[in-house]
Amino acid sequence: MPADLAPPRRERPELKPTPHLRPGRLLAGFLTLVLVVGGGWFAWKYVGTNIVAKQRQGEMAVALADDWSGNRQGDATTDTVRIGEAMAVMRIPRFGSDFEVPVVEGVDDSALTSGVGHFPDTQRPGQLGNFAVAGHRITNGQPFKDFPDLRAGDKVVVETRTHVYTYVLEGSGTDTIVDFSDIWVVQPVPEKARRTKSQRSRAKPTRAILTLTTCSEIFHTDNRSVAFGRLVDSHHV
């Protein structure tokens, strides 16, 4: 091919050496990523879950009121309640005049996000024996965040479809701290189960009591704070 008809010769671009990332920069980038992810998790865990849980609890309270409207006859202790369903509303004046939270059957994560959870093997509100519930002190609506403020003599009001029950606490929110495995606190007669060190006490209850449980420390879950109360009043709605 004649030289004047040959395609123009292209200059090959000069290849620049690829800069090497220094270990310090890699570490800084990794730490930044960890901080961003960790900060997002912390914000969701301790802020986001509270927002979602409070909304859910409010919706359940409204649904419960609608369900009860015009249906106050009979005895709510015979109602069939499935795991995850609300059975009552709890009010604790010590926590504020506007404190109102659903009592939900079960103590799994879903139930405790919806309000305070009722231990399924314990009695219903107002019944002879132990009506035992658990609630979060932090995250998921944190209904029991002020648990240490409870004092002997404080009232706990539990409203069901047919009755309102008033319990009075016999101790403070810091009087009794147990290991999470100590299930004597939810037995029908806790004081008897504690004395006999029985996890499955067969003692027959002679009075209606209330047991409130929560984590003893905000960021520590091995121990539980417990407050006991006795039924002092019951009336039909």
Side-chain angles (χ1 to χ4, degrees), residues 61-123:
V62 171
L64 203 58
D66 290 342
D67 181 59
W68 289 348
S69 180
N71 186 26
R72 295 284 192 172
Q73 301 303 312
D75 184 354
T77 60
T78 62
D79 292 347
T80 299
V81 183
R82 293 187 292 270
I83 297 294
E85 289 185 342
M87 55 147 50
V89 172
M90 178 174 287
R91 303 181 182 93
I92 303 178
R94 172 67 69 178
F95 294 165
S97 58
D98 60 343
F99 179 85
E100 183 178 78
V101 62
V103 179
V104 181
E105 186 72 2
V107 289
D108 58 9
D109 289 341
S110 177
L112 294 178
T113 298
S114 304
V116 298
H118 170 243
F119 287 91
D121 292 336
T122 68
Q123 279 60 48

Side-chain angles (χ1 to χ4, degrees), residues 37-38 96 137 140 177:
V37 173
R137 277 193 64 193
N140 295 291
I177 297 178

Side-chain angles (χ1 to χ4, degrees), residues 5 23 79 86 93 99 121 142 157 162 166 180 184 217:
L5 296 180
D79 292 347
F99 179 85
D121 292 336
Q142 54 192 35
V157 180
T162 59
T166 301
F180 75 96
W184 63 263
E217 299 175 24

Side-chain angles (χ1 to χ4, degrees), residues 116-231:
V116 298
H118 170 243
F119 287 91
D121 292 336
T122 68
Q123 279 60 48
R124 296 280 192 91
Q127 289 183 329
L128 284 181
N130 190 0
F131 167 55
V133 302
H136 281 295
R137 277 193 64 193
I138 190 169
T139 73
N140 295 291
Q142 54 192 35
F144 284 170
K145 69 182 181 67
D146 296 324
F147 200 90
D149 295 338
L150 292 173
R151 297 291 178 266
D154 282 350
K155 292 182 177 180
V156 178
V157 180
V158 181
E159 181 180 352
T160 69
R161 180 178 62 82
T162 59
H163 290 76
V164 174
Y165 302 98
T166 301
Y167 296 85
V168 171
L169 297 184
E170 298 179 324
S172 74
T174 57
D175 283 349
T176 304
I177 297 178
V178 302
D179 188 81
F180 75 96
S181 62
D182 287 336
I183 63 172
W184 63 263
V185 299
V186 296
Q187 296 301 302
V189 187
E191 62 271 21
K192 182 67 176 293
R194 185 178 193 178
R195 288 197 303 268
T196 60
K197 297 182 179 180
S198 172
Q199 299 286 21
R200 294 293 177 186
S201 174
R202 295 182 179 181
K204 293 184 179 180
T206 58
R207 62 175 185 160
I209 66 171
L210 164 74
T211 299
L212 307 176
T213 65
T214 192
C215 294
S216 62
E217 299 175 24
I218 292 180
F219 296 107
H220 187 68
T221 59
D222 286 345
N223 294 328
R224 299 290 182 267
S225 292
V226 183
F228 298 103
R230 68 185 187 281
L231 183 68

Side-chain angles (χ1 to χ4, degrees), residues 3-77:
D4 57 346
L5 296 180
R9 187 175 183 181
R10 296 182 180 180
E11 295 292 332
R12 301 180 67 180
E14 182 180 353
L15 298 178
K16 297 181 178 181
T18 302
H20 294 286
L21 292 177
R22 296 179 180 178
R25 289 184 178 181
L26 285 173
L27 179 60
F30 175 75
L31 291 177
T32 300
L33 178 62
V34 169
L35 288 174
V36 170
V37 173
W41 178 88
F42 185 90
W44 165 250
K45 182 71 174 179
Y46 296 102
V47 179
T49 60
N50 281 331
I51 296 174
V52 172
K54 285 183 181 298
Q55 180 179 356
R56 184 175 181 179
Q57 291 168 16
E59 292 172 350
M60 291 191 74
V62 171
L64 203 58
D66 290 342
D67 181 59
W68 289 348
S69 180
N71 186 26
R72 295 284 192 172
Q73 301 303 312
D75 184 354
T77 60

